Amino acid sequence: MKISSKGYDTPDEVGNYSIKRNKISFLPSAEMRENMGTVRYTKYTELSSALLSNESDDV
């Protein structure tokens, strides 16, 4: 997946509204194409990074 966004000077200015478009750079399955309409974006934080690290430990 490729994401295009606007550039900002500080992290405080960034939000989900910053994303201009998303694009898949391969031929997706029908299920993936349907799910592209439900993609949600969240702002990266130190906490989200720690949560992702803990999830990968469970695998």
Side-chain angles (χ1 to χ4, degrees):
M1 180 183 287
K2 296 179 182 181
I3 298 174
S4 297
S5 66
K6 297 178 182 178
Y8 291 98
D9 293 328
T10 66
D12 292 333
E13 296 175 276
V14 176
N16 61 352
Y17 50 83
S18 305
I19 298 175
K20 293 194 268 185
R21 69 179 197 158
N22 57 26
K23 179 181 177 183
I24 296 175
S25 58
F26 62 93
L27 185 58
S29 67
E31 181 181 1
M32 180 174 269
R33 285 192 305 267
E34 290 173 11
N35 289 333
M36 283 298 294
T38 62
V39 173
R40 293 186 341 189
Y41 301 96
T42 58
K43 190 172 183 177
Y44 173 86
T45 64
E46 298 268 338
L47 178 59
S48 63
S49 176
L51 291 172
L52 288 172
S53 293
N54 289 338
E55 287 178 7
S56 63
D57 293 341
D58 294 338
V59 175

